[in-house]
Amino acid sequence: MSMKEQASAQPDPVLTEIIRNGVLAVTEEMKTNLMRTAYNMIIYEALDFTVGLFTAEGETISIGIGLPSFIKGMANTVNAMREKYGADGISPGDILVTNDAYITGSHLNHFTFAQPIFLGGKLSGWSCCMAHWMDVGGTLGGVTTDIYSEGLQIPIMKYQKGEQVNDDLLEIIRMNVRVADRAMGDLRAQIVAVTTGTKRFTELLERYGRTQTLAAVANIMDRSEASARARTVLIPDGTYEAESFMDDDGLELGVRIPIKVRVIKKGDELTVDLSQMSPQVRGFFNSGPSTGYSCAQVAYKCLTSPTDYPINEGSFRPLKVICPEGTVISAVKPAAMRWWMTFPMTVVDTIFKAMVSAIPDKTIAAHHADLVFSMFHGIEPKNGQFFLGFVGPTGGGWGAKQSEDGMSGVVCSNDGDTHNSPCEQLESKYPILIERHALREDSGGAGRQRGGLGTEVVYHARTPFTVDVQAERMHCAPWGLEGGHSGLANEVFITRKGSSIPVEPSAKVRNQRLKVGDKLHLRAGGGGGFGPPEERSAVALANDVLQGYVSPERARDVYQAVLTAEGRVDIAATDRQRAVRRQA
């Protein structure tokens, strides 16, 4: 039954609401089961994964958000699986798998498993899970120039046919990863997630009937579409453009990569034109076409229907995307994709920047836009075992909005619901010592509404190991809007015996060997401010200084505050001084 036919069944509003909450519950249970059974912290603590339900035709029904940018990648992967095997090539019990970076849009570390859902012999949907594996082989050096050096590539194939697991595929995977036990544990956890989705969605189909359940799904999508169109209409018609840049492509350091976006709004539809993006680069900061489309989806969802759930195909029907192949966010083989997530965050920021003149009350200043993520590896002296670990994502500052300050110490937009890893977990599992994890004073961009603050993490090496950091946006600081100032940029450096060790001319530490006692400093940037700083409420500014968010010197010099002898903001005197300056 097609979605159009399902919609014509006209399910009653009560059933539609039951199914709406039902599919949300299914994806949340998938998410919970994956977290509880995964072996690596990047899944069970950082939540670097996404689960979802899809229609038989591959349309998104509900996403259990981890990474927003996975929405299109998962849908495209399910559709590619359908196209490869066709209706006659899949059966109940099958589980398909791939980590093809040019289908998912991301890197080889993202393994995607999907299971077709049948009822009465009819294909009725798909259950899917995309999750990050810590290691898929390839170089540990951090610098790559093509996909072949980045690890094991698995084309679309069947992990399981019926109830029979493909043991040959398991052996190939096991041989190509460095810590096989953990990788196999994460694999099994993903299988638990997709089979949970299959089981629970099947129960909905059986309880309420296949026809009525799928008709309710179609109705949910139609409602989401109507809501998105109604809010799109409120955006003034016109063409809006903005530019920014990235520090480099991870290989040719210091050579800027331009970012240009155009947004065309007409009636109840909005087009995001990404055709002027930089061509794909020789370095490893490329991502695939799915991610280019996801950039537009994330921005559009935030601008039109950020609180409408479940996230489904209907929300994006009014959105058109122009994203030709061969750019940094629509790269083609054999482009390197290792650090795929970096450019999209700034693309989303730039779309918001383009829209500020049209809908200043709905957009937001730039944020730190990077994971500020440290990978490290070495040999544990206690047992001689190889270890591979990470610190991050390091929480940074989000941009301010017209009506409120930016959030402090949160992950970048690309990572949605992901978390950093607790210091106690990291110290117990790896030979590191976390010395500091704190907010960065003055990192938030000054403005009528202040940008959020970034954080700093400092950790010691307790045994020699190699560290790799590929942070961005050191030179392209998070910009402010409507007179707001930029936030501090991301920064990374190493200190040894109190002295800094020279690193690359950007926020990158590539394949550096740390000695015992050496410190790595990860400093996430702050968000941009919104509006002129001198218009910030003196009461709010006084609290900023009291909390240590803004230094007294910055309050005086940038916000035009009057300070007391103790370095506090004199609210009454500040208001008087500002009034005199406004009159002058």
Side-chain angles (χ1 to χ4, degrees):
M1 179 184 289
S2 69
M3 295 301 290
K4 186 175 181 180
E5 292 171 329
Q6 292 157 19
S8 67
Q10 291 297 317
D12 65 79
V14 174
L15 179 59
T16 297
E17 188 65 11
I18 289 171
I19 298 301
R20 188 182 75 83
N21 285 280
V23 295
L24 281 169
V26 172
T27 48
E28 282 302 305
E29 185 175 352
M30 293 170 68
K31 183 176 178 179
T32 299
N33 285 352
L34 178 60
M35 291 165 54
R36 288 178 173 175
T37 55
Y39 276 49
N40 280 291
M41 279 202 296
I42 200 161
I43 295 179
Y44 68 75
E45 287 287 359
L47 310 188
D48 192 345
F49 66 85
T50 301
V51 297
L53 293 174
F54 299 82
T55 66
E57 295 80 21
E59 292 185 305
T60 305
I61 297 174
S62 176
I63 293 290
I65 280 295
L67 276 71
S69 55
F70 280 2
I71 297 171
K72 190 64 176 178
M74 290 176 68
N76 283 354
T77 302
V78 169
N79 278 298
M81 291 173 171
R82 289 174 57 247
E83 291 173 7
K84 176 170 181 177
Y85 285 99
D88 299 328
I90 53 175
S91 305
D94 287 358
I95 297 178
L96 285 64
V97 62
T98 188
N99 72 334
D100 187 329
Y102 306 99
I103 298 175
T104 67
S106 56
H107 53 188
L108 298 178
N109 298 72
H110 287 151
F111 266 66
T112 304
F113 292 83
Q115 183 169 44
I117 302 171
F118 287 86
L119 186 71
K122 295 181 179 180
L123 180 62
S124 304
W126 291 80
S127 172
C128 186
C129 173
M130 181 187 288
H132 184 112
W133 288 23
M134 280 293 294
D135 172 61
V136 290
T139 179
L140 282 172
V143 177
T144 54
T145 56
D146 65 29
I147 196 70
Y148 302 103
S149 58
E150 296 185 337
L152 175 67
Q153 298 182 67
I154 303 293
I156 293 174
M157 59 191 306
K158 291 189 178 181
Y159 161 81
Q160 182 172 298
K161 183 175 177 60
E163 301 299 324
Q164 183 63 44
V165 172
N166 185 342
D167 290 324
D168 291 338
L169 173 60
L170 282 179
E171 287 303 312
I172 291 171
I173 295 173
R174 188 178 285 112
M175 178 169 278
N176 281 276
V177 296
R178 293 178 175 86
V179 188
D181 289 347
R182 289 188 173 274
M184 294 301 100
D186 288 343
L187 183 153
R188 292 190 295 271
Q190 286 190 258
I191 299 302
V192 167
V194 296
T195 54
T196 296
T198 297
K199 179 181 179 181
R200 296 305 187 207
F201 191 67
T202 300
E203 289 173 352
L204 286 176
L205 294 168
E206 292 174 337
R207 181 177 301 171
Y208 301 106
R210 180 179 185 275
T211 299
Q212 287 299 311
T213 299
L214 297 184
V217 167
N219 196 27
I220 292 165
M221 291 186 185
D222 290 345
R223 289 185 178 185
S224 296
E225 177 185 0
S227 176
R229 288 190 184 278
R231 291 166 186 169
T232 302
V233 166
L234 300 177
I235 301 173
D237 285 358
T239 299
Y240 309 97
E241 298 180 341
E243 299 182 13
S244 61
F245 67 91
M246 304 299 292
D247 296 347
D248 50 62
D249 68 351
L251 186 65
E252 298 182 43
L253 300 182
V255 179
R256 292 182 176 182
I257 309 299
I259 290 176
K260 297 181 180 180
V261 304
R262 177 185 289 122
V263 181
I264 304 117
K265 159 57 177 49
K266 186 176 181 180
D268 63 354
E269 293 189 345
L270 186 140
T271 300
V272 176
D273 183 354
L274 302 173
S275 59
Q276 296 185 65
M277 294 292 300
S278 167
Q280 65 188 59
V281 292
R282 195 164 70 92
F284 47 95
F285 283 5
N286 298 292
S287 52
S290 294
T291 297
Y293 199 100
S294 288
C295 292
Q297 282 188 322
V298 170
Y300 180 71
K301 180 71 173 170
C302 290
L303 293 171
T304 59
S305 53
T307 58
D308 287 2
Y309 291 95
I311 296 172
N312 63 72
E313 194 74 24
S315 298
F316 305 112
R317 287 175 184 163
L319 172 67
K320 311 300 178 186
V321 183
I322 301 172
C323 188
E325 288 188 340
T327 75
V328 287
I329 52 171
S330 58
V332 296
K333 205 166 188 174
M337 308 274 276
R338 187 183 186 101
W339 226 247
W340 72 281
M341 74 295 286
T342 301
F343 280 25
M345 308 176 207
T346 298
V347 174
V348 173
D349 264 0
T350 310
I351 294 172
F352 292 150
K353 183 180 182 182
M355 299 306 293
V356 68
S357 62
I359 44 174
D361 59 323
K362 299 293 184 183
T363 192
I364 187 172
H367 74 314
H368 65 296
D370 197 90
L371 300 179
V372 195
F373 189 84
S374 163
M375 297 286 294
F376 55 84
H377 65 272
I379 302 298
E380 174 59 64
K382 293 179 181 179
N383 54 24
Q385 296 293 312
F386 173 82
F387 65 85
L388 177 65
F390 67 95
V391 173
T394 306
W398 274 48
K401 295 187 283 188
Q402 188 182 66
S403 58
E404 60 186 275
D405 293 344
M407 294 184 293
S408 299
V410 291
V411 297
C412 50
S413 62
N414 195 62
D415 269 37
D417 270 1
T418 58
H419 304 164
N420 62 7
S421 296
C423 297
E424 296 81 4
Q425 284 255 26
L426 291 169
E427 290 176 337
S428 67
K429 293 180 182 295
Y430 303 110
I432 65 172
L433 177 66
I434 310 291
E435 176 186 287
R436 176 178 173 81
H437 190 182
L439 293 173
R440 295 176 67 188
E441 186 181 58
D442 288 338
S443 57
R448 181 174 59 248
Q449 303 296 341
R450 174 182 47 73
L453 274 65
T455 62
E456 179 181 29
V457 177
V458 182
Y459 70 86
H460 296 239
R462 294 196 291 113
T463 191
F465 57 70
T466 301
V467 67
D468 184 74
V469 184
Q470 302 294 345
E472 256 289 333
R473 294 285 294 273
M474 176 178 177
H475 301 293
C476 180
W479 56 81
L481 295 176
E482 302 288 279
H485 291 199
S486 297
L488 291 186
N490 301 314
E491 184 180 6
V492 180
F493 61 95
I494 296 170
T495 55
R496 176 173 294 158
K497 296 180 180 179
S499 300
S500 294
I501 299 174
V503 294
E504 308 290 357
S506 58
K508 296 173 174 66
V509 175
R510 306 204 299 191
N511 213 31
Q512 289 271 356
R513 188 72 174 171
L514 297 190
K515 299 179 180 179
V516 175
D518 287 355
K519 301 179 185 179
L520 183 69
H521 302 249
L522 301 170
R523 290 179 174 174
F530 201 113
E534 61 272 18
E535 294 181 7
R536 183 163 181 78
S537 158
V539 174
L541 182 60
N543 185 64
D544 288 341
V545 173
L546 183 64
Q547 298 295 336
Y549 302 155
V550 175
S551 67
E553 295 75 20
R554 187 174 178 84
R556 179 192 62 214
D557 299 339
V558 178
Y559 287 94
Q560 300 182 4
V562 176
L563 304 179
T564 67
E566 295 77 23
R568 304 298 186 192
V569 173
D570 187 322
I571 295 173
T574 297
D575 286 338
R576 287 195 300 269
Q577 177 174 281
R578 287 175 170 179
V580 170
R581 291 185 177 181
R582 283 195 297 271
Q583 291 173 358

